[in-house]
């Protein structure tokens, strides 16, 4: 179906993708995984001739044995025989057009396409994107992408940041449509659970190169490259609380800086001198497997389970009684009560629209409750010194025009005058070099920006830190580092956490107690391990059942 040979992508003279070879068969789902900056999305965009301005591609791309070269050739297949589904459906859906207009414009029969993606409500066709939930928008975007019966669908992070149950539905939907049509799928994702669940084969990309490829389940059972093994070890578990959360140190280097050696050399825990002497080629390690590593991967010792639970060190810090929040005719939060003790970590899980974020905004004082009571701390300590928030996107709390040091100093100035932390103190607290104080947010990686956002929140030494999906869009290795940092903030500093997420594996690693929300109400609560191991409510069982059933080793 698709054959790529020696694909190289450049931004001017700078090499970004370095010699990728790839073959996708008829009816196959092929995965492309790796951290941000590995070159996955640019590889996919090169296939359909949609590289950003100033970025060029060389090499051979053949679709059904016909060469794709030049805009005329790309235009003949793009949107017709090859279709693209993006991570953010807003990138595909015109906000000024209804769902039905978008699908019709793509050349499809509206009702038929909506039914194919599981939408039986005919009124959806008359709604605009902002009137649809995230999962519904992704279904409409998929319907538009399938409108002209493509032979190959390129899906770029189609389930990132979706709720567990919606993600599960989209995954099942993609699988069903792929089987029914005999369509090929190229799935780009940094979510290994999604890749191993959906894909027949996959390639692991790192610094613009493919470092491992083969059948998906064989790679999951025993990775042949230390980078793949590191990604698997960084995955949090929904079944047990890990004593340590291990991410890969460092970050992905630019492809043009590692052309003459193993690109993973500086981050590898088993590197040998010969790894820095030449670039290792992909070589067979089994009948259907290849790896670009000179050495066999050493099995990692199993991470022990952490049975210890941090104990509350004080009285009740936050108490919420009978909280309600109405938006006209919609009751977003319905009679919710909860409490958080000093030094405790409490998690809240649920789908989009369950009321999690509205509850947090009420506690932060960003919205006014319609009823109920919130008691936070004691005495006259200002609210901003009692509670701070870490959001999913650190850009919401970092000014891109200011240096990191200026941002942190400004935040610290809002705290108590005695023993005020310096920017260097705060950077060291979150594991960043003091020299980062001179940088601006644009010069940092996503994980580094999130660390700075946490440092900013801790600058006033809050008693309670509210984390609203703080790792939802981060690579698995960076996610492990951030979760480990938050556990340290809770256990070592005694800062209470109210941790909001849709990821059950993540919430298991950082919380003592768990509340499950549905339609604005708490439907189940208790110690985190008890709720996840022995759920009592049907909705909690459904959330747990939506997790991909993959056994990871290595």
């Amino acid at each position: 179906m698709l054959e790529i040979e020696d694909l190289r992508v450049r931004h001017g003279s700078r090499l970004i993708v370095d010699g990728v070879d790839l073959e996708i068969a008829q009816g196959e789902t092929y995965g492309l995984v790796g951290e941000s900056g590995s070159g996955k999305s640019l590889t996919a965009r090169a296939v359909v001739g949609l590289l950003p301005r100033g970025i060029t591609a060389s090499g051979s791309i053949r679709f059904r044995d016909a060469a794709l070269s030049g805009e005329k050739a790309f235009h003949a297949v793009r949107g017709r025989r090859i279709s693209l589904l993006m991570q953010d459906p807003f990138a595909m859906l015109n906000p000024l057009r209804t769902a039905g207009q978008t699908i019709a414009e793509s050349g499809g029969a509206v009702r038929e396409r909506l039914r194919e993606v599981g939408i039986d409500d005919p009124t959806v066709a008359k709604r605009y994107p902002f009137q649809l939930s995230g999962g519904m928008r992704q279904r409409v975007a998929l319907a538009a992408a399938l409108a002209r019966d493509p032979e190959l669908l390129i899906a770029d992070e189609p389930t990132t940041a979706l709720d567990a149950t919606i993600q599960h539905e989209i995954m099942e939907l993609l699988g069903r449509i792929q089987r029914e049509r005999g369509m090929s799928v190229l799935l780009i994702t940094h979510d290994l659970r999604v890749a191993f669940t959906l894909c027949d084969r996959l390639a692991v990309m790192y610094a613009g190169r493919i470092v491992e490829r083969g059948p998906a389940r064989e790679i999951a059972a025993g990775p042949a490259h230390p980078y793949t093994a590191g990604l698997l070890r960084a995955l949090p578990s929904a079944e047990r609380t890990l004593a340590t959360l291990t991410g890969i140190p460092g970050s992905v280097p630019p492809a043009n800086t590692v052309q003459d050696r193993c690109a993973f050399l500086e981050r590898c825990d088993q590197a040998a001198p010969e790894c820095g002497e030449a670039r290792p080629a992909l070589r067979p390690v089994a009948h259907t497997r290849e790896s670009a590593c000179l050495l066999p991967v050493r099995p990692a010792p199993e991470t022990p389970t952490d049975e210890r639970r941090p104990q509350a060190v004080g009285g009740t810090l936050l108490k919420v009684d009978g909280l309600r929040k109405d938006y006209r005719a919609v009751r977003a939060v319905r009679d919710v009560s909860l409490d958080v003790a000093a030094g405790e970590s409490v998690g809240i899980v649920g789908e989009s629209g369950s009321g999690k974020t509205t509850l947090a905004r009420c506690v932060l004082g960003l919205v006014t409750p319609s009823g109920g009571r919130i008691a936070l701390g004691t005495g006259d300590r200002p609210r901003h010194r009692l509670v701070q928030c870490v959001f999913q996107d650190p850009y919401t709390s970092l000014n891109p025009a200011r240096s990191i040091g200026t941002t942190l100093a400004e935040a610290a100035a809002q705290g108590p005058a005695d023993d005020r932390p310096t920017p260097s103190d705060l950077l060291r607290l979150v594991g960043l070099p003091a020299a980062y104080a001179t940088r601006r947010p644009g010069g940092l990686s996503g994980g580094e920006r999130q660390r700075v956002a946490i440092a900013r929140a801790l600058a006033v030494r809050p008693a309670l830190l509210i984390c609203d999906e703080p790792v939802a869009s981060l690579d698995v290795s960076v996610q492990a580092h951030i979760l480990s940092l938050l556990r340290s903030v809770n256990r070592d500093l005694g800062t209470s956490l109210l941790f909001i997420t849709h990821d059950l594996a993540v919430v298991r690693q950082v919380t003592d107690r768990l509340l499950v929300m549905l339609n604005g109400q708490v439907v189940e609560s208790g110690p985190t391990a008890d709720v996840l191991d022995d759920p009592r409510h049907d909705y909690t069982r459904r959330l747990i059942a939506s997790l991909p059933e993959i056994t990871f080793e290595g």
Side-chain angles (χ1 to χ4, degrees), residues 8-17 42 52-57:
R8 299 176 190 272
V9 178
R10 290 180 170 84
H11 185 196
S13 61
R14 183 166 65 91
L15 189 66
I16 304 173
V17 173
L42 287 178
R53 182 175 298 178
I55 296 181
T56 59

Side-chain angles (χ1 to χ4, degrees), residues 342-363:
E344 188 180 26
S345 179
V346 176
I348 303 178
V349 299
E351 296 172 304
S352 296
S354 62
K356 308 186 303 293
T357 296
T358 300
L359 171 61
R361 288 179 176 273
C362 289
V363 173

Side-chain angles (χ1 to χ4, degrees), residues 71-118:
E71 179 55 29
K72 185 176 180 180
F74 285 121
H75 183 73
V77 300
R78 189 171 57 228
R80 297 171 175 83
R81 301 178 67 190
I82 303 177
S83 197
L84 188 63
L85 177 66
M86 307 294 289
Q87 171 182 342
D88 182 0
F90 272 121
M92 293 183 62
L93 303 179
N94 188 328
L96 302 179
R97 293 181 179 272
T98 64
Q101 289 171 331
T102 297
I103 296 170
E105 186 181 52
S106 300
V110 176
R111 288 194 175 185
E112 179 183 340
R113 294 308 183 206
L114 287 177
R115 280 197 298 268
E116 186 177 29
V117 297

Side-chain angles (χ1 to χ4, degrees), residues 2-338:
L2 180 71
E3 183 180 8
I4 301 172
E5 291 184 354
D6 197 28
L7 177 68
R8 299 176 190 272
V9 178
R10 290 180 170 84
H11 185 196
S13 61
R14 183 166 65 91
L15 189 66
I16 304 173
V17 173
D18 186 8
V20 164
D21 297 329
L22 200 65
E23 291 182 356
I24 301 177
Q26 169 76 41
E28 181 179 36
T29 300
Y30 198 103
L32 202 53
V33 302
E35 294 171 284
S36 297
S38 293
K40 308 184 302 294
S41 291
L42 287 178
T43 297
R45 287 179 174 274
V47 172
V48 288
L50 286 178
L51 290 171
R53 182 175 298 178
I55 296 181
T56 59
S58 62
S60 171
I61 302 174
R62 301 185 67 83
F63 179 69
R64 293 288 195 189
D65 290 328
L68 295 181
S69 179
E71 179 55 29
K72 185 176 180 180
F74 285 121
H75 183 73
V77 300
R78 189 171 57 228
R80 297 171 175 83
R81 301 178 67 190
I82 303 177
S83 197
L84 188 63
L85 177 66
M86 307 294 289
Q87 171 182 342
D88 182 0
F90 272 121
M92 293 183 62
L93 303 179
N94 188 328
L96 302 179
R97 293 181 179 272
T98 64
Q101 289 171 331
T102 297
I103 296 170
E105 186 181 52
S106 300
V110 176
R111 288 194 175 185
E112 179 183 340
R113 294 308 183 206
L114 287 177
R115 280 197 298 268
E116 186 177 29
V117 297
I119 300 176
D120 296 318
D121 183 356
T123 66
V124 170
K126 299 178 182 179
R127 298 180 198 168
Y128 292 90
F130 74 90
Q131 296 174 312
L132 303 173
S133 67
M136 192 69 80
R137 282 195 298 268
Q138 193 63 291
R139 287 173 182 265
V140 171
L142 178 58
L146 298 176
R148 294 190 177 181
D149 297 312
E151 299 164 65
L152 171 65
L153 175 68
I154 299 175
D156 192 354
E157 300 281 8
T159 61
T160 296
L162 290 179
D163 299 323
T165 52
I166 298 174
Q167 181 185 80
H168 182 68
E169 290 169 3
I170 296 294
M171 287 165 54
E172 285 196 329
L173 181 62
L174 272 173
R176 176 178 60 79
I177 292 173
Q178 183 266 342
R179 290 189 299 271
E180 290 175 352
R181 291 179 171 221
M183 178 178 67
S184 300
V185 175
L186 174 59
L187 176 69
I188 295 108
T189 183
H190 66 257
D191 190 326
L192 298 181
R193 286 188 170 87
V194 169
F196 288 128
T197 301
L198 279 182
C199 298
D200 303 305
R201 291 189 298 149
L202 61 82
V204 181
M205 281 195 74
Y206 184 77
R209 310 174 189 172
I210 291 177
V211 297
E212 183 169 1
R213 63 186 174 197
R217 289 188 176 271
E218 290 184 22
I219 293 177
H225 195 281
Y227 175 59
T228 313
L231 292 177
L232 291 177
R233 286 197 295 268
L235 278 172
S237 170
E239 289 77 36
R240 61 194 184 104
T241 306
L242 303 176
T244 58
L245 299 169
T246 308
I248 304 173
S251 57
V252 181
N256 64 306
T257 66
V258 289
Q259 290 178 265
D260 59 348
R261 64 183 188 275
C262 173
F264 193 57
L265 174 65
E266 282 76 12
R267 304 175 73 190
C268 185
D269 59 2
Q270 63 176 60
E274 57 266 33
C275 299
E277 296 173 358
R279 170 180 173 172
L282 279 168
R283 60 183 181 86
V285 292
H287 179 62
T288 56
R289 300 270 300 283
E290 294 175 292
S291 172
C293 185
L294 300 175
L295 307 169
V297 174
R298 292 196 301 261
E302 184 175 352
T303 303
T305 298
D306 182 9
E307 299 296 344
R308 182 177 67 87
R309 292 291 182 271
Q311 300 298 314
V313 295
T316 300
L317 176 65
L318 170 67
K319 190 170 185 61
V320 177
D321 283 320
L323 185 70
R324 292 187 295 106
K325 178 58 185 175
D326 301 330
Y327 292 100
R328 296 184 180 178
V330 177
R331 178 152 291 178
V333 176
R334 308 164 179 243
D335 193 30
V336 167
S337 297
L338 67 91

